[in-house]
Amino acid sequence: MRVSTVILPVYRWSERGREIWQRAEELGFHAAYTYDHLSWRSFRDGPWFGAVPTLTAAAAATSRLRLGTLVTSPNFRHPVTLAKELITLDDVSGGRITLGIGAGGSGFDATALLRGAEEPWSPRERADRFGEFVELLDQLLTHDVVTHEGTHYSAHEVRDIPGCVQRPRLPFAVAATGPRGLRLAARYGQAWVTTGDPKISETGTPADSLAAIAGQIERLGRACAEAGRDTGELDKIMLTGFTPEAAGPLSSVDAFVDFAGCHAELGIDEIVLHWPILDSIFAADLATFEKIATEGAAQVAG
């Protein structure tokens, strides 16, 4: 199992941003991700920087650490402009970028660009857009010239030369639990992302959560079979902090090892921990967090 972190873009680069991303590399994390939102929940009225510029700076400040988003969505992105930014990021980082991508939710990102009496997208429309978004993005990142006329997105003789450093393109980590999203993960994903089952995050038990994730992986397997792929071809990533344990895995090295072990038995390949942020839902002891990144990660690596 690999251990990674997600660093929320809440720090000025000159004050703490650079040192945190460099510290993530020093601690030996497999990857460091960031959220790709315009703002997020309880952080909405505080500092919040853009994901792509943050990752560009992180790419220049590190040399080994994989970097990426958890996750990018169509809520405020367009495949044509996003593809150009991703190709640039992959070049600057020397081929260390993973695109975490999901359908997006109904939060601030979903309403920021609305005009007048426009209504936010329904769940069905989000799913429709997500499917077309992923398909077009795959084309843009694997072909020099793309023309596409879709229901929601178009591209007219778009050039993306020289393409990604990683071939045939940088990997997609598709966040999905529903049938349509799982089919996208099976068709286009090099990895699959889960946060568990949000329906039981507050009222369920850790055992309930494990059972729900096992069910998600089983459904992913069926989607892969339909797509003619072996589910073992996809890495399975667990973004922590949203299961009934909440920050429990960060309370001690032993708690983390137990948590990681239970999820490894389900088939999870990578555990992603939120970098601690004081006075937030991601508050945790930094010294313990760093011990988990070193001692804990060494225990679960086998």
Side-chain angles (χ1 to χ4, degrees):
M1 175 174 281
R2 299 178 298 276
V3 181
S4 299
T5 188
V6 58
I7 302 168
L8 269 61
V10 297
Y11 307 100
R12 286 194 180 277
W13 191 253
S14 61
E15 295 175 0
R16 292 197 62 203
R18 176 193 295 271
E19 68 180 62
I20 289 176
W21 286 85
Q22 290 178 329
R23 183 59 177 159
E25 182 167 79
E26 292 170 359
L27 289 169
F29 281 113
H30 166 70
Y33 304 95
T34 197
Y35 286 10
D36 188 14
H37 290 290
L38 296 175
S39 59
W40 192 78
R41 299 187 188 180
S42 57
F43 296 90
R44 188 181 188 188
D45 294 319
W48 190 275
F49 296 95
V52 172
T54 295
L55 290 171
T56 305
T62 59
S63 60
R64 303 180 307 277
L65 188 69
R66 283 204 67 84
L67 306 165
T69 57
L70 278 184
V71 293
T72 294
S73 83
N75 270 349
F76 64 96
R77 297 289 188 186
H78 190 287
V80 169
T81 51
L82 178 61
K84 186 68 71 175
E85 292 179 341
L86 291 171
I87 288 170
T88 306
L89 257 179
D90 205 42
D91 182 67
V92 172
S93 69
R96 292 184 285 134
I97 298 297
T98 296
L99 177 70
I101 188 167
S106 56
F108 310 129
D109 294 346
T111 58
L113 302 183
L114 294 182
R115 295 180 298 175
E118 283 184 333
E119 292 292 326
W121 302 335
S122 67
R124 179 183 292 275
E125 184 175 0
R126 283 202 302 271
D128 290 343
R129 286 178 176 271
F130 185 40
E132 189 177 333
F133 190 98
V134 173
E135 178 184 1
L136 177 54
L137 192 60
D138 175 72
Q139 293 180 41
L140 291 162
L141 294 175
T142 54
H143 295 81
D144 288 347
V145 183
V146 172
T147 293
H148 170 89
E149 291 292 338
T151 303
H152 302 289
Y153 303 104
S154 61
H156 180 67
E157 294 187 2
V158 173
R159 267 71 172 169
D160 279 316
I161 302 170
C164 296
V165 173
Q166 301 174 85
R167 293 293 180 171
R169 58 157 166 76
L170 54 80
F172 289 179
V174 181
T177 56
R180 296 178 67 181
L182 290 173
R183 286 195 292 270
L184 284 174
R187 182 175 179 184
Y188 295 103
Q190 285 65 57
W192 166 75
V193 182
T194 184
T195 58
D197 186 343
K199 295 177 182 177
I200 61 172
S201 62
E202 295 183 2
T203 59
T205 66
D208 294 333
S209 179
L210 289 170
I213 295 169
Q216 292 172 357
I217 293 174
E218 181 180 349
R219 293 191 294 275
L220 175 65
R222 290 199 295 268
C224 285
E226 292 172 5
R229 295 184 69 185
D230 185 333
T231 186
E233 295 178 25
L234 276 71
D235 291 335
K236 298 165 190 67
I237 302 172
M238 175 74 192
L239 175 59
T240 64
F242 303 101
T243 59
E245 299 94 338
L250 295 181
S251 61
S252 69
V253 171
D254 287 344
F256 166 76
V257 170
D258 288 344
F259 178 89
C262 290
H263 287 79
E265 291 178 2
L266 299 179
I268 297 294
D269 306 296
E270 182 177 343
I271 294 282
V272 184
L273 307 171
H274 285 84
W275 195 278
I277 302 176
L278 293 177
D279 301 320
S280 79
I281 63 170
F282 301 124
D285 179 70
L286 183 59
T288 301
F289 176 81
E290 294 199 349
K291 287 184 68 176
I292 289 169
T294 52
E295 298 173 20
Q299 291 185 47
V300 303

